[in-house]
Amino acid sequence: MVWHSISGEQAARELKSDINSGLSEHEAGKRLASAGENKLKDKKKPSVIRQFIAQFSDFCVIILFIACIISFATGIIEGKGDFVEPIVILMIVILNAAIGVFQERRAERALEALKKMSAPTARVKRSGKIRRIPSSDIVPGDIILLESGDLVPADARLISANSLSVRESALTGESEPSGKNAQVILPDNCPPADRKNMVFSSTTVIGGNCIAVVTETGMNTHVGKIAHLLAAEKAPQTPLQQRLGKIGKALGIGAIIICAFVFILGVVKKSGILPSFMLSVSLAVAAIPEGLPAIVTIVLSMGVQRMAKSSAIIRHLPAVETLGAATVICSDKTGTLTQNKMSVTQIRNLFGELPHNSEEARKILLLGSLCSNSRAAGRGKTASFSGDPTEAAILAAAYERGEKVFSLDRDYPRLHETPFSSERKSMSTVNMFQQKPMLIVKGAPDVIIAKCKFAAVNGAPVIMSAHRKRLITEQNESMAHEALRVIAVAYRSSEGENDFAEKDLVFAGLIGMADPPRPEAAKAVMTCKRAGIIPVMITGDHISTACAVAEKLGILESGQTAMTGSELDALSDSQLAEKISDCRVFARVSPEHKVRIVKAFRARGEIVAMTGDGVNDAPALKAADIGCAMGKSGTEVAKSAADMILTDDNFATIVKAVEQGRGIYDNIKKAVHFLLGTNIGEILAVFAASLLGFSPPLIPIQLLWVNLITDSLPAMALGTEKTEKGIMSRRPVSPSKGFFSDGMWIDISLEGMIVGTLTILAYSIGCLMFGAQSSIILGRTMAFCTISFCEIAHAVNMRSSLPLFKAGIFSNRMMNIAVAVCSAAQAGVVLIPQLANVFGVTPLSPVQWLTVIALAAVPLVVGESGKTLCSIRRKY
């Protein structure tokens, strides 16, 4: 069917849909089952088997396989039949691969859950009711309702349109918005870019509103036929993962050099080529931190799941890293810093405040109610008002004063609407008023006053003189100084629905509304300042109103400035960058100004978080380091451009997200610190033993066991650590600051040396200090147990920069489980005879166990002593 060549009503009939009531839920369900979800096909995900096989593509694992093959071959050639060691190594490698698949699948599930939470939605008519449903559930024949800021969910034929303009650059490449007309019928061969009676999937409504019937969904849409949009987007590695990948490679090269040296030493000492080769290969695999990027992904995915429960949905993983470094948070005022519960508190004409129940006040409220899209429902105490908070407040005030707000559409039929836009800062409608068409305009006072030629005095229009204009301006400023949001209302007679030019208006009055600050906002602002973050308010309100609220919240203090959009326009980019450091309030700004504000802060080296909810906020959200879209009031366009969605539209949630972002970054550092420290300890233990002329203190199977058990589980448990107290008393982390700055490399090296030294010491004690019992096997057993328990103790030590008694000894449930499992597994290897034979260990006496425990406790004692001393020093 050529949909653009028939009328919208005919298209609905062809699709067996009802324009007034839409599809029934039953019919929609049937069509969804037959047509499929309204989605572009993703690239097919690899199967579990393919993912499992991919785990064996790692260079070190390939070397280990080669070693296994050589070991098997040697056993066959020598006729010994000793295949235990290569079999165990193979089993450990397979288990490691299984853990890798589990981690990847877990991360994928976490990210899929987040995608679903931030998936686009659309308004449809179903069974006569308007509902908001996931865009993926839309089917051909659905009646959809679109307005400014919506993403078009599917291809659709317009039924009615009101000043509709759509940005179709995603489809046509044209940057200019396309004006739409529901009434036109176009030729069959009309190209998509000229189909003014159609809207297409993935395009953006930037003005007006419409009702349309869905004609195509999913892969049948025009965008579904464009090949380059079909490829699934591959999530890029975060900057941190990239840095750690490079570090892992550098350490790997170093480890291979050391392993080559160990192999040569073994051959020179006539330890045997195969044992020396197996030892060096297993040491390489144990030492190279190939799991670092995977651990980072797991910690990030677990972190963003926790953040989602706190009303902050992270759409892109790198945003978590950036959150911890944020230095400026630019926030909208209404609904984010304030409660967005507007109520009318004052009504004024040019001479002053009007009694609330006066005839003039009631007329001003009635005009404001007619020029709005808010709706009333219920009666008496159950009366409720939905829609834009400002419009709902005006409608509620009219209802309270006896106006019949439930029958406005019938009593005062609307002939035309010019929707509100942030550029015009006004909205207008043409309504039948006392049997005559009347144009009603409401919006920002300065904008409306400039369009007025008359003013209403005692119910009659008089010429708007300079004196009267000054009186109105003074009333507006007086209300703004009281922190009221002020809306001006004007009107004029109209010739009909085609006479809607906003000129020669009659000024009716000013409506003042209060929107109190959120109770938690002031505390969040204080937290920001303590954390070294600059809170900035951005609003379209009058500068006096904005400053009054900013002072209440503590955003604007003495010595700091406020700036209007017009003042901002008068500055060049370089001048703005110079002046912006002291500016805490931006009033009367448009979405375009937000982009300049972001760039000016970034030019000063700041890391900027920016909030936004409108379609025109998308460029600013993309320009910011962290774009934060509003989940309740935000448009789908803003959400799709953002890095983070605030499901409660609350400023305090941004601050909490920054705190959690810092905590996640800290946990990643702890996990990386732990892994690198223990890996260095393993390398040094074997390397030092070779230099000292000792037999290897750890055999290949033991090294692989340590790498699998006492590295992976505690590292993942560190990723679940709670955010440390006082984390928001620290300055933001500078992006230019290295991951291993502040002496972290020194700490890692020293900790590695302690672990390595204690392992050699345990080996020496086992070989020399127990008389007749002494042997290399006993020494290896004690070294094996010591390094394993050392790493467990070191993981506990890495939990917090605070002493454990302050952080909470058992406060991390996952770490408790990891410690218990790793300790039990390690003890089982020694105590169970069958496992002891496989791992080349011997049972330990009570004294030997006490020796191992004493040595293994050294990292914990040293670490806790250092943290306690630092804690005492900070007090003084």
Side-chain angles (χ1 to χ4, degrees):
M1 179 63 67
V2 184
W3 302 109
H4 57 270
S5 297
I6 59 176
S7 69
E9 291 77 7
Q10 189 178 347
R13 286 195 297 272
E14 290 286 343
L15 290 159
K16 297 179 182 176
S17 181
D18 187 288
I19 292 173
N20 296 314
S21 61
L23 299 173
S24 67
E25 292 293 347
H26 177 69
E27 178 62 24
K30 283 170 59 180
R31 295 190 185 193
L32 184 63
S34 63
E37 287 191 314
N38 178 34
K39 288 180 177 179
L40 297 181
K41 286 183 180 176
D42 289 330
K43 188 167 66 177
K44 190 177 179 182
K45 290 183 180 179
S47 64
V48 174
I49 295 172
R50 189 178 290 273
Q51 274 186 305
F52 183 76
I53 293 170
Q55 303 295 317
F56 300 101
S57 62
D58 185 82
F59 177 70
C60 296
V61 176
I62 291 170
I63 291 177
L64 200 58
F65 265 123
I66 293 170
C68 284
I69 292 167
I70 293 172
S71 182
F72 270 117
T74 305
I76 292 170
I77 292 167
E78 292 179 353
K80 293 180 180 179
D82 183 11
F83 303 122
V84 174
E85 186 168 283
I87 288 171
V88 171
I89 291 173
L90 194 59
M91 288 174 63
I92 288 174
V93 170
I94 291 170
L95 182 59
N96 208 20
I99 290 172
V101 172
F102 170 76
Q103 288 176 341
E104 284 182 15
R105 287 274 164 173
R106 183 178 177 182
E108 283 173 9
R109 283 196 300 270
L111 294 175
E112 282 299 322
L114 290 171
K115 281 182 182 178
K116 286 179 183 176
M117 291 177 73
S118 61
T121 58
R123 287 193 306 149
V124 301
K125 281 185 183 179
R126 291 269 179 94
S127 301
K129 295 180 180 178
I130 296 174
R131 294 182 50 211
R132 186 169 285 278
I133 64 171
S135 295
S136 58
D137 290 348
I138 284 175
V139 297
D142 260 327
I143 305 298
I144 58 174
L145 295 84
L146 301 172
E147 58 187 14
S148 179
D150 286 343
L151 284 174
V152 179
D155 290 1
R157 173 62 167 93
L158 295 175
I159 296 169
S160 65
N162 187 17
S163 303
L164 184 68
S165 60
V166 180
R167 182 176 289 123
E168 298 182 334
S169 54
L171 182 68
T172 66
E174 295 289 336
S175 58
E176 288 298 314
S178 172
K180 297 294 181 177
N181 186 339
Q183 306 307 317
V184 298
I185 307 292
L186 299 168
D188 290 2
N189 60 356
C190 180
D194 295 331
R195 293 176 192 173
K196 302 300 182 185
N197 56 10
M198 298 283 295
V199 287
F200 299 104
S201 176
S202 300
T203 58
T204 305
V205 179
I206 63 168
N209 50 55
C210 73
I211 298 173
V213 58
V214 173
T215 55
E216 305 288 355
T217 60
M219 295 303 291
N220 293 323
T221 62
H222 277 276
V223 76
K225 296 168 186 173
I226 301 174
H228 76 270
L229 290 178
L230 300 183
E233 182 182 348
K234 187 178 180 182
Q237 279 196 320
T238 71
L240 178 59
Q241 286 172 308
Q242 292 170 358
R243 288 204 299 271
L244 291 177
K246 290 176 183 177
I247 291 165
K249 286 179 183 176
L251 288 174
I253 292 169
I256 289 170
I257 292 170
I258 292 173
C259 293
F261 185 74
V262 168
F263 173 71
I264 293 166
L265 274 179
V267 172
V268 170
K269 288 168 58 182
K270 299 181 180 178
S271 300
I273 292 177
L274 181 60
S276 298
F277 176 73
M278 288 296 294
L279 178 64
S280 59
V281 169
S282 59
L283 177 60
V285 175
I288 296 170
E290 67 275 355
L292 273 185
I295 290 290
V296 171
T297 302
I298 294 297
V299 174
L300 282 172
S301 63
M302 288 191 295
V304 296
Q305 281 182 303
R306 288 203 305 272
M307 292 174 77
K309 292 175 184 175
S310 301
S311 303
I313 300 173
I314 300 295
R315 297 185 69 249
H316 306 121
L317 283 183
V320 179
E321 299 169 35
T322 315
L323 271 171
T327 58
V328 175
I329 298 177
C330 296
S331 173
D332 287 319
K333 177 180 75 68
T334 304
T336 308
L337 288 165
T338 61
Q339 294 181 31
N340 207 15
K341 292 179 181 177
M342 308 293 288
S343 61
V344 174
T345 58
Q346 289 185 24
I347 304 165
R348 298 193 186 195
N349 61 14
L350 70 167
F351 300 114
E353 188 171 352
L354 297 167
H356 274 211
N357 285 314
S358 68
E359 195 63 34
E360 190 174 356
R362 288 181 61 177
K363 182 179 179 182
I364 293 168
L365 288 172
L366 175 59
L367 292 172
S369 298
L370 291 173
C371 186
S372 85
N373 287 316
S374 186
R375 292 290 176 266
R379 291 290 192 279
K381 292 181 180 179
T382 62
S384 62
F385 305 92
S386 60
D388 177 81
T390 300
E391 295 184 343
I394 295 172
L395 195 64
Y399 174 69
E400 289 165 7
R401 288 157 181 78
E403 292 295 340
K404 298 176 181 178
V405 298
F406 299 98
S407 58
L408 290 179
D409 289 340
R410 185 180 69 245
D411 297 341
Y412 307 94
R414 181 177 295 183
L415 307 178
H416 175 82
E417 175 191 338
T418 304
F420 175 86
S421 75
S422 53
E423 290 81 14
R424 293 170 54 248
K425 294 186 173 67
S426 66
M427 171 186 176
S428 64
T429 61
V430 178
N431 294 73
M432 292 301 295
F433 195 90
Q434 297 173 351
Q435 281 73 53
K436 293 180 182 179
M438 177 183 283
L439 174 71
I440 308 167
V441 186
K442 73 170 177 29
D446 51 345
V447 173
I448 302 301
I449 294 167
K451 296 177 180 180
C452 289
K453 189 176 181 179
F454 306 94
V457 177
N458 297 323
V462 297
I463 291 293
M464 177 71 79
S465 63
H467 172 66
R468 290 190 177 103
K469 188 173 286 190
R470 188 171 65 254
L471 287 176
I472 297 169
T473 303
E474 287 172 359
Q475 296 296 336
N476 178 39
E477 289 176 353
S478 174
M479 295 169 81
H481 278 299
E482 295 178 39
L484 298 180
R485 184 170 191 183
V486 186
I487 297 294
V489 179
Y491 64 94
R492 70 169 173 83
S493 60
S494 169
E495 296 302 320
E497 60 182 286
N498 295 319
D499 178 19
F500 50 82
E502 296 174 7
K503 64 180 182 179
D504 299 336
L505 302 176
V506 180
F507 175 79
L510 301 171
I511 303 173
M513 287 161 279
D515 181 14
R518 286 179 179 265
E520 65 274 21
K523 184 180 177 183
V525 168
M526 285 178 60
T527 303
C528 271
K529 291 182 174 180
R530 193 170 65 248
I533 300 168
I534 301 169
V536 176
M537 177 191 286
I538 297 179
T539 179
D541 272 355
H542 194 280
I543 192 165
S544 303
T545 309
C547 289
V549 175
E551 285 169 1
K552 278 185 184 178
L553 293 172
I555 292 174
L556 185 65
E557 297 179 335
S558 59
Q560 295 170 341
T561 60
M563 188 182 295
T564 64
S566 56
E567 290 171 337
L568 196 150
D569 285 333
L571 298 174
S572 66
D573 289 345
S574 58
Q575 288 172 325
L576 179 60
E578 286 176 18
K579 291 191 173 186
I580 205 165
S581 59
D582 294 324
C583 195
R584 295 293 179 271
V585 175
F586 293 90
R588 312 303 284 164
V589 298
S590 66
E592 289 72 22
H593 289 135
K594 284 187 173 184
V595 178
R596 290 194 66 200
I597 293 167
V598 168
K599 289 181 177 178
F601 273 119
R602 294 193 69 192
R604 296 184 64 85
E606 306 287 359
I607 305 299
V608 184
M610 170 68 79
T611 68
D613 55 9
V615 60
N616 289 330
D617 287 333
L621 294 175
K622 286 187 175 180
D625 297 282
I626 310 146
C628 308
M630 302 296 109
K632 286 183 179 178
S633 61
T635 61
E636 295 297 340
V637 176
K639 291 176 188 177
S640 66
D643 302 295
M644 180 169 72
I645 298 172
L646 307 177
T647 59
D648 60 358
D649 294 11
N650 195 336
F651 177 80
T653 301
I654 307 174
V655 180
K656 194 172 181 181
V658 170
E659 181 178 355
Q660 290 180 320
R662 289 186 179 190
I664 292 168
Y665 189 78
D666 272 8
N667 287 348
I668 291 171
K669 284 192 78 169
K670 290 171 189 174
V672 171
H673 189 150
F674 164 72
L675 285 170
L676 294 182
T678 53
N679 281 7
I680 287 173
E682 294 165 24
I683 293 172
L684 290 179
V686 177
F687 185 54
S690 299
L691 289 177
L692 294 171
F694 294 170
S695 295
L698 298 163
I699 58 176
I701 291 179
Q702 293 168 352
L703 278 169
L704 289 166
W705 173 263
V706 169
N707 195 43
L708 176 69
I709 298 300
T710 57
D711 271 8
S712 299
L713 294 180
M716 289 182 66
L718 284 170
T720 66
E721 195 67 41
K722 292 179 181 177
T723 303
E724 289 189 17
K725 292 178 181 177
I727 198 169
M728 290 300 278
S729 297
R730 301 184 333 213
R731 300 285 302 173
V733 178
S734 171
S736 59
K737 197 173 185 179
F739 188 75
F740 296 96
S741 58
D742 297 328
M744 185 170 161
W745 261 126
I746 296 172
D747 290 345
I748 289 170
S749 301
L750 288 174
E751 289 156 8
M753 289 171 66
I754 290 171
V755 171
T757 301
L758 291 170
T759 304
I760 293 292
L761 184 57
Y763 176 68
S764 302
I765 291 171
C767 287
L768 305 170
M769 302 292 288
F770 287 99
Q773 285 185 306
S774 298
S775 66
I776 289 177
I777 292 178
L778 178 60
R780 282 177 177 163
T781 304
M782 291 186 68
F784 181 34
C785 290
T786 298
I787 196 168
S788 292
F789 287 116
C790 262
E791 293 192 1
I792 294 169
H794 185 43
V796 173
N797 188 45
M798 288 303 305
R799 283 185 51 209
S800 174
S801 60
L802 298 171
L804 274 179
F805 67 88
K806 286 187 177 180
I809 297 174
F810 300 109
S811 60
N812 186 337
R813 180 172 165 271
M814 290 302 295
M815 182 59 77
N816 299 338
I817 293 171
V819 168
V821 169
C822 291
S823 300
Q826 183 62 36
V829 165
V830 177
L831 296 174
I832 299 170
Q834 292 85 351
L835 291 176
N837 290 334
V838 170
F839 283 88
V841 294
T842 187
L844 299 179
S845 68
V847 174
Q848 291 160 355
W849 273 118
L850 286 173
T851 305
V852 166
I853 292 167
L855 290 171
V858 170
L860 187 59
V861 172
V862 171
E864 288 302 302
S865 300
K867 287 190 281 187
T868 303
L869 288 172
C870 288
S871 182
I872 294 169
R873 191 179 299 165
R874 278 196 292 268
K875 284 185 179 179
Y876 299 98

